Amino acid sequence: MDIKPPITISSFDLERIEQLLASAAYRNLPGIDALEQELQRATVVDPEQIPPGLITMNSAVRFIDDVSKVEYDMTLAYPGPSNPPDAVSILAPVGSALLGLSVGQSISWQGPGGRPLQLRILDVTYQPEANGEFHL
């Protein structure tokens, strides 16, 4: 079993994600249990205490899947129709894996259809908290 890296999330993000998970619309989606496990193991801090280089909700991130060697630029988003084209939902396997990681960290994760992923964070190109936006 792979040891998961430590993760940190903001209390604001935790509250909003827990509201999503309590919704009947999302309760039975595949991967929800894995997201709940990530939330349980996370260190939770106030939004103002989030360090730069950490992936929070609405962060733009560049990462690589070391299994496929494909690089991605995505924005971690809440589910919704108004998301940018590069958005990945927190409810998607990749979104759940990214939350709370920092630049340089890697995580082994199960992707869509059970495909193994080995995601490594290369850069956080935008983070709301680093820009003084604590409640997006």
Coordinates of all heavy atoms in Angstrom, one line a residue, residues 46-79:
D46 N -7.0 27.7 8.9 CA -7.8 28.9 8.4 C -7.3 29.3 7.0 O -6.1 29.1 6.8 CB -7.6 30.1 9.4 CG -8.3 29.9 10.7 OD1 -9.3 29.1 10.7 OD2 -7.9 30.5 11.7
P47 N -8.1 29.8 6.2 CA -7.7 30.2 4.8 C -6.5 31.1 4.8 O -5.6 31.0 4.0 CB -8.9 30.9 4.2 CG -10.1 30.3 5.0 CD -9.6 30.0 6.4
E48 N -6.4 32.0 5.8 CA -5.3 33.0 5.9 C -4.0 32.3 6.2 O -2.9 32.9 6.0 CB -5.6 34.0 6.9 CG -6.8 34.9 6.6 CD -8.1 34.3 6.9 OE1 -8.2 33.3 7.5 OE2 -9.1 35.0 6.6
Q49 N -4.0 31.0 6.6 CA -2.8 30.3 7.0 C -2.3 29.4 5.9 O -1.3 28.7 6.1 CB -3.0 29.4 8.3 CG -3.3 30.3 9.5 CD -3.6 29.4 10.7 OE1 -4.5 28.5 10.6 NE2 -2.9 29.6 11.8
I50 N -3.0 29.4 4.8 CA -2.6 28.5 3.6 C -1.3 29.1 3.0 O -1.2 30.2 2.6 CB -3.7 28.5 2.6 CG1 -5.0 27.8 3.1 CG2 -3.2 27.8 1.3 CD1 -4.8 26.3 3.3
P51 N -0.3 28.2 2.9 CA 1.0 28.7 2.3 C 0.9 28.7 0.8 O 0.1 27.9 0.2 CB 2.0 27.6 2.8 CG 1.2 26.4 3.0 CD -0.2 26.8 3.5
P52 N 1.6 29.6 0.1 CA 1.7 29.6 -1.3 C 2.2 28.2 -1.8 O 2.9 27.5 -1.1 CB 2.7 30.7 -1.7 CG 2.9 31.4 -0.4 CD 2.5 30.6 0.7
G53 N 1.8 27.8 -3.0 CA 2.3 26.5 -3.5 C 1.5 25.3 -3.1 O 1.8 24.2 -3.4
L54 N 0.4 25.5 -2.4 CA -0.5 24.5 -1.9 C -1.8 24.5 -2.8 O -2.3 25.6 -3.0 CB -0.8 24.7 -0.4 CG -1.7 23.6 0.1 CD1 -0.9 22.6 1.0 CD2 -2.8 24.2 0.9
I55 N -2.3 23.4 -3.2 CA -3.5 23.4 -4.0 C -4.8 23.4 -3.1 O -5.0 22.6 -2.3 CB -3.6 22.1 -4.9 CG1 -2.3 22.0 -5.8 CG2 -4.8 22.1 -5.7 CD1 -2.1 20.7 -6.5
T56 N -5.5 24.5 -3.3 CA -6.8 24.7 -2.7 C -7.9 24.8 -3.8 O -7.5 24.7 -5.0 CB -6.8 26.1 -1.9 OG1 -6.6 27.1 -2.8 CG2 -5.7 26.1 -0.8
M57 N -9.1 24.9 -3.4 CA -10.2 25.0 -4.4 C -10.0 26.3 -5.2 O -9.5 27.3 -4.6 CB -11.5 25.0 -3.7 CG -11.9 23.7 -3.0 SD -11.8 22.2 -4.1 CE -13.0 22.7 -5.4
N58 N -10.2 26.2 -6.5 CA -10.1 27.3 -7.4 C -8.6 27.6 -7.8 O -8.3 28.6 -8.4 CB -10.8 28.5 -7.0 CG -12.3 28.2 -6.8 OD1 -13.0 27.8 -7.8 ND2 -12.8 28.5 -5.6
S59 N -7.7 26.7 -7.3 CA -6.3 26.9 -7.7 C -6.0 26.4 -9.1 O -6.7 25.4 -9.5 CB -5.4 26.1 -6.7 OG -5.3 26.7 -5.5
A60 N -5.2 27.0 -9.8 CA -4.7 26.5 -11.1 C -3.4 25.8 -10.9 O -2.5 26.3 -10.2 CB -4.5 27.7 -12.1
V61 N -3.3 24.6 -11.4 CA -2.1 23.7 -11.1 C -1.6 23.1 -12.3 O -2.3 22.7 -13.2 CB -2.5 22.7 -10.0 CG1 -3.6 21.8 -10.5 CG2 -1.4 21.9 -9.6
R62 N -0.3 22.9 -12.4 CA 0.4 22.2 -13.4 C 1.0 20.9 -12.8 O 1.7 21.0 -11.8 CB 1.5 23.0 -14.1 CG 2.1 22.3 -15.3 CD 3.0 23.3 -16.1 NE 4.0 23.9 -15.3 CZ 5.2 23.5 -15.1 NH1 5.6 22.3 -15.7 NH2 6.1 24.1 -14.3
F63 N 0.6 19.7 -13.3 CA 1.1 18.5 -12.8 C 1.3 17.5 -13.9 O 0.9 17.7 -15.0 CB 0.1 17.9 -11.7 CG -1.3 17.6 -12.3 CD1 -1.6 16.3 -12.7 CD2 -2.2 18.6 -12.4 CE1 -2.8 16.0 -13.2 CE2 -3.5 18.2 -13.0 CZ -3.8 16.9 -13.3
I64 N 2.0 16.4 -13.5 CA 2.3 15.4 -14.5 C 1.8 14.0 -13.9 O 1.9 13.8 -12.7 CB 3.8 15.3 -14.8 CG1 4.1 14.3 -16.0 CG2 4.7 15.0 -13.6 CD1 5.5 14.4 -16.6
D65 N 1.3 13.2 -14.8 CA 1.0 11.8 -14.4 C 2.3 11.0 -14.8 O 2.6 10.8 -15.9 CB -0.2 11.3 -15.1 CG -0.5 9.8 -14.8 OD1 0.3 9.2 -14.0 OD2 -1.5 9.3 -15.4
D66 N 3.1 10.6 -13.8 CA 4.3 9.9 -14.0 C 4.1 8.5 -14.6 O 5.1 7.9 -15.1 CB 5.2 9.8 -12.7 CG 5.8 11.2 -12.4 OD1 6.2 11.9 -13.3 OD2 6.0 11.4 -11.2
V67 N 2.9 8.0 -14.6 CA 2.6 6.7 -15.3 C 2.6 6.9 -16.8 O 3.2 6.2 -17.5 CB 1.3 6.1 -14.7 CG1 1.0 4.9 -15.5 CG2 1.5 5.8 -13.2
S68 N 1.8 7.9 -17.2 CA 1.6 8.2 -18.7 C 2.6 9.2 -19.2 O 2.7 9.3 -20.4 CB 0.1 8.6 -18.9 OG 0.0 9.9 -18.4
K69 N 3.2 9.9 -18.3 CA 4.2 11.0 -18.7 C 3.5 12.2 -19.4 O 4.1 12.9 -20.1 CB 5.3 10.5 -19.7 CG 6.1 9.3 -19.1 CD 6.8 9.6 -17.8 CE 7.6 8.5 -17.4 NZ 7.7 8.4 -15.9
V70 N 2.2 12.3 -19.1 CA 1.4 13.4 -19.7 C 1.3 14.5 -18.6 O 1.1 14.3 -17.5 CB 0.0 13.0 -20.1 CG1 -0.8 14.1 -20.6 CG2 0.1 11.9 -21.2
E71 N 1.6 15.8 -19.1 CA 1.5 17.0 -18.2 C 0.2 17.6 -18.4 O -0.4 17.6 -19.5 CB 2.6 17.9 -18.6 CG 3.5 18.3 -17.5 CD 4.6 19.3 -17.9 OE1 4.3 20.5 -18.0 OE2 5.7 18.8 -18.1
Y72 N -0.4 18.2 -17.4 CA -1.7 18.8 -17.4 C -1.6 20.2 -16.7 O -0.9 20.4 -15.8 CB -2.7 18.0 -16.6 CG -2.9 16.6 -17.2 CD1 -2.2 15.5 -16.7 CD2 -3.9 16.4 -18.1 CE1 -2.4 14.3 -17.2 CE2 -4.1 15.1 -18.6 CZ -3.3 14.0 -18.1 OH -3.5 12.8 -18.6
D73 N -2.5 21.1 -17.2 CA -2.7 22.4 -16.5 C -4.2 22.4 -16.3 O -5.0 22.4 -17.2 CB -2.3 23.5 -17.5 CG -0.8 23.7 -17.6 OD1 -0.2 24.1 -16.6 OD2 -0.3 23.4 -18.6
M74 N -4.6 22.4 -15.0 CA -6.0 22.4 -14.7 C -6.3 23.3 -13.5 O -5.4 23.6 -12.7 CB -6.5 20.9 -14.3 CG -6.4 20.0 -15.4 SD -7.0 18.4 -14.9 CE -7.2 17.6 -16.5
T75 N -7.6 23.6 -13.4 CA -8.1 24.4 -12.3 C -9.0 23.5 -11.4 O -10.0 22.9 -12.0 CB -8.9 25.7 -12.7 OG1 -8.0 26.5 -13.5 CG2 -9.4 26.5 -11.6
L76 N -8.7 23.4 -10.1 CA -9.5 22.6 -9.2 C -10.8 23.3 -8.9 O -10.7 24.4 -8.4 CB -8.7 22.2 -8.0 CG -9.4 21.3 -7.0 CD1 -9.8 19.9 -7.6 CD2 -8.6 21.1 -5.8
A77 N -12.0 22.8 -9.3 CA -13.2 23.5 -9.2 C -14.3 22.7 -8.5 O -14.2 21.5 -8.4 CB -13.7 23.9 -10.6
Y78 N -15.3 23.4 -8.0 CA -16.5 22.8 -7.5 C -17.3 22.4 -8.8 O -17.2 23.0 -9.8 CB -17.3 23.8 -6.7 CG -16.6 24.1 -5.4 CD1 -15.9 25.3 -5.2 CD2 -16.6 23.2 -4.3 CE1 -15.3 25.6 -4.1 CE2 -15.9 23.5 -3.1 CZ -15.3 24.7 -3.0 OH -14.6 25.0 -1.9
P79 N -18.2 21.4 -8.7 CA -18.9 21.0 -9.9 C -19.9 22.1 -10.3 O -20.4 22.8 -9.4 CB -19.7 19.8 -9.4 CG -19.7 19.8 -7.9 CD -18.5 20.6 -7.5

